[in-house]
Amino acid sequence: MKLCLVILIMLCSIYESFSRYLHIKGGLVVNHDNSALSDVLIDSETGKIIQVGGNFDDYVPPHTRVIDAHDKLVMPGGIDPHTHLDMPFMGSVTCDDFFSGQAAAAAGGTTMHIDFALPVAHDLVKGLEEWKKKAESSCIDYSFHMAVTQWNNKTYRDMAHIVAQGINSFKFFMAYKGALMVNDEEMINGFERCGQLGALPQVHAENGDAVTWGQTEMIRLGVKGPEGHALSRPSVLEGEATGRAIRLAAYVGVPLYVVHVMSIEALEEVAKARLRGQRVIGEPVVSGLALNESVMWDPDWEVAARYVMSPPIRAAEHGKALREALSRGVLQLVATDHAVFTSVQKAAGRGDFRLIPNGVNGIEERIHVVWQTMVNSGLMTSSDFVRATSTAAAQAFNIFPKKGLIAPGSDADVIVLDPNQEHTISASTHHSRIDSNVYEGMNIKGKVVMTISRGRVVWEHGKLNVTRGSGHFVPLPPFGPLYEGLSKQQTSIQLPQRYGPTPVRRAGAEADGQSEGRHEEL
């Protein structure tokens, strides 16, 4: 009897491996704008969704595997727009590479992420080539943002090359002085070039000069532990930099994406800009929604250091404000800023918090933690959840409806979530290479029981089925929705007609450099 059972299981496994089609049956299909009981038919060979609708048992082709999704939610796979895999930083390298990080993502219901590529010695092209090599081990879909860390003529030219390679966003660091930070002049030039290329400028918004001063002050006062990290980078510095970046983007006339919004001050700057009609996206990260800074005062240095990231995790009232803003659409989507370092790597900062590698985990936990904090709390509907974890990112980076939607013709990136299954987050069961977890012990009601990436079942029954090198690079086209109609808006860098034609023709124009027929364009 046991032998027969084993043979039956093996035959079922062989049949499933040769099944070209997947028929997800009886689930509640949830998109960002609606939900309905529907079946989903997927072609695993093309990696596309063929049909969504009522029961179509009579129409399914042969070699179809049926997946029972009764009493479960069927949703677009998650898109994490902010990760750092295999990234050199602060004298170390993040311990998740593209294979381990993406495997963890798949186990948590994320089917695509956008990683930040860093220049090599300020060279964008060399940086992109380096990140392409890193991504050769990938097992789910991915794309890149590119950081700009210096401004010169070569940077200007190389940005066009980067966009032609399928990257439509550039990040400018307003912090990490002496390493990644750019000044306002460099940022303005970069913003202008983004506008010309139809790329989305992004900012890490902290006042880097003030942070450096605050760090020096903490050391002078004898505060050398992880709590010094939080104290040296207060929320006011994040708010100031966010407001400055938003106003400079308005001055140049480009949209703006503010990564990891962690504070009330930064949130308020984003909200005010959006009320003015400015095109600004505010991105909270899951750690900012669910955690608070008190852990950095833990008497166990190793525990406290796990939570060091920048901008820092804030006091509880900031998390509450971020959750409410996300629920109301003031903030649009949730990322992770997944950048993980082991306890041994973090220990480089014992005796000086400035040397603790910055970063926390989240690529595997994001979907579940957002479900617990936002949906189970009543702050969001399941459709709101899909918008925040998938669709909004697809729209912002101009790949919707290819991604972020369950519909015929869309990529077959699908998750099945059991809203009644309970589980507990733990480093002992996660799939990241990090030896700790900042969400350790968090109880979750609702679990991703299946992840489908481009028509391939990569997570099922608590087991991964991922293949190194099977991931796909997804090109991100320029001039996405945030640019639509933007050229028609009057911006302050255009010649304003406030009191008549500009420049004004005056007597003695030679003295003003306005000789007839010779006027420089602004």
Side-chain angles (χ1 to χ4, degrees):
M1 180 65 73
K2 288 184 178 179
L3 179 60
C4 291
L5 182 60
V6 170
I7 292 172
L8 180 62
I9 292 172
M10 289 176 64
L11 288 173
C12 289
S13 177
I14 292 170
Y15 173 76
E16 289 179 359
S17 68
F18 283 100
S19 298
R20 172 172 175 175
Y21 301 97
L22 301 176
H23 178 193
I24 305 175
K25 185 176 175 62
L28 182 68
V29 173
V30 183
N31 279 314
H32 68 289
D33 56 353
N34 62 68
S35 60
L37 286 170
S38 302
D39 286 6
V40 180
L41 186 62
I42 290 169
D43 186 339
S44 297
E45 189 171 293
T46 64
K48 297 290 184 181
I49 296 171
I50 303 173
Q51 188 173 347
V52 179
N55 186 310
F56 41 80
D57 282 340
D58 295 336
Y59 304 98
V60 296
H63 305 294
T64 297
R65 177 190 172 189
V66 177
I67 297 166
D68 184 2
H70 285 88
D71 300 321
K72 298 178 180 65
L73 307 179
V74 181
M75 299 184 285
I79 301 174
D80 186 346
H82 188 156
T83 64
H84 299 281
L85 302 180
D86 201 3
M87 178 187 70
F89 187 56
M90 297 183 70
S92 195
V93 179
T94 54
C95 63
D96 270 336
D97 62 14
F98 273 76
F99 181 70
S100 68
Q102 290 185 358
T110 288
T111 53
M112 179 180 172
H113 71 108
I114 310 179
D115 204 72
F116 282 93
L118 298 180
V120 173
H122 302 295
D123 189 305
L124 307 189
V125 176
K126 289 181 180 178
L128 178 57
E129 291 305 312
E130 183 71 21
W131 253 257
K132 284 181 177 179
K133 292 176 184 176
K134 294 173 186 287
E136 288 176 357
S137 64
S138 65
C139 57
I140 62 170
D141 284 359
Y142 64 93
S143 194
F144 299 121
H145 312 285
M146 173 56 70
V148 174
T149 56
Q150 188 181 76
W151 187 257
N152 52 41
N153 289 335
K154 187 177 187 309
T155 305
Y156 176 91
R157 294 191 303 269
D158 286 351
M159 285 177 71
H161 171 80
I162 298 299
V163 170
Q165 296 295 305
I167 296 171
N168 69 0
S169 53
F170 293 90
K171 183 178 183 179
F172 301 86
F173 289 87
M174 302 172 76
Y176 301 121
K177 187 173 182 178
L180 301 171
M181 178 177 160
V182 296
N183 60 36
D184 286 357
E185 181 182 8
E186 291 172 314
M187 192 163 64
I188 290 169
N189 280 308
F191 282 6
E192 180 187 30
R193 186 58 169 153
C194 283
Q196 294 167 353
L197 297 170
L200 180 59
Q202 301 177 299
V203 289
H204 172 134
E206 290 182 285
N207 187 314
D209 290 318
V211 166
T212 298
W213 181 86
Q215 291 175 328
T216 302
E217 280 296 289
M218 288 301 108
I219 297 297
R220 185 182 67 81
L221 293 170
V223 182
K224 299 180 180 180
E227 70 278 10
H229 179 77
L231 294 170
S232 65
R233 311 175 89 105
S235 57
V236 64
L237 302 187
E238 185 188 353
E240 184 277 331
T242 302
R244 178 159 40 102
I246 287 172
R247 286 163 178 79
L248 292 178
Y251 177 52
V252 176
V254 292
L256 186 67
Y257 185 110
V258 183
V259 303
H260 45 43
V261 174
M262 298 291 282
S263 66
I264 293 171
E265 289 89 336
L267 159 64
E268 288 176 342
E269 293 291 346
V270 171
K272 287 187 292 185
R274 289 174 64 83
L275 281 173
R276 293 194 298 266
Q278 193 172 342
R279 297 182 182 184
V280 178
I281 290 179
E283 171 206 271
V285 291
V286 65
S287 55
L289 296 174
L291 305 174
N292 72 79
E293 68 181 4
S294 63
V295 284
M296 280 181 278
W297 274 260
D298 193 289
D300 185 327
W301 187 95
E302 188 174 298
V303 171
R306 292 173 190 167
Y307 296 84
V308 169
M309 64 173 292
S310 295
I313 297 164
R314 307 291 185 189
E317 61 266 24
H318 293 274
K320 180 176 184 293
L322 293 171
R323 292 191 296 272
E324 291 175 349
L326 181 65
S327 73
R328 296 166 186 164
V330 178
L331 301 175
Q332 293 76 48
L333 46 80
V334 183
T336 61
D337 194 7
H338 181 87
V340 288
F341 299 92
T342 65
S343 1
V344 172
Q345 291 174 302
K346 290 269 188 177
R350 280 190 181 272
D352 188 341
F353 67 86
R354 296 172 297 181
L355 303 179
I356 301 172
N358 290 193
V360 301
N361 61 288
I363 201 169
E364 183 171 355
E365 297 79 15
R366 180 183 68 123
I367 293 288
H368 292 125
V369 173
V370 174
W371 183 265
Q372 180 68 25
T373 58
M374 301 302 297
V375 180
N376 288 343
S377 67
L379 286 172
M380 290 179 117
T381 66
S382 55
S383 285
D384 293 333
F385 170 83
V386 168
R387 168 185 59 80
T389 59
S390 183
T391 309
Q395 292 170 333
F397 296 102
N398 205 18
I399 49 172
F400 180 85
K402 174 183 173 67
K403 303 286 189 184
L405 185 70
I406 294 182
S410 294
D411 284 355
D413 297 336
V414 178
I415 60 174
V416 180
L417 186 143
D418 183 346
N420 297 310
Q421 186 168 331
E422 298 185 12
H423 60 112
T424 302
I425 295 175
S426 174
S428 64
T429 55
H430 73 204
H431 298 82
S432 168
R433 289 177 177 168
I434 191 174
D435 56 353
S436 63
N437 194 308
V438 294
Y439 306 99
E440 185 72 37
M442 181 178 287
N443 296 313
I444 308 288
K445 185 178 180 181
K447 183 174 177 59
V448 174
V449 294
M450 177 176 284
T451 303
I452 300 169
S453 172
R454 283 190 184 252
R456 297 175 294 117
V457 177
V458 294
W459 169 256
E460 182 181 17
H461 303 317
K463 293 184 178 180
L464 279 165
N465 180 27
V466 291
T467 303
R468 186 181 295 270
S470 62
H472 292 77
F473 172 75
V474 179
L476 307 178
F479 291 104
L482 289 169
Y483 273 97
E484 187 176 343
L486 192 63
S487 61
K488 299 176 183 177
Q489 297 183 8
Q490 176 82 8
T491 65
S492 58
I493 62 168
Q494 295 172 329
L495 292 178
Q497 304 292 316
R498 292 180 182 171
Y499 306 108
T502 304
V504 178
R505 303 302 182 100
R506 295 183 175 89
E510 291 284 348
D512 293 332
Q514 297 182 13
S515 57
E516 189 67 30
R518 297 181 62 187
H519 302 284
E520 289 191 26
E521 293 184 3
L522 296 185

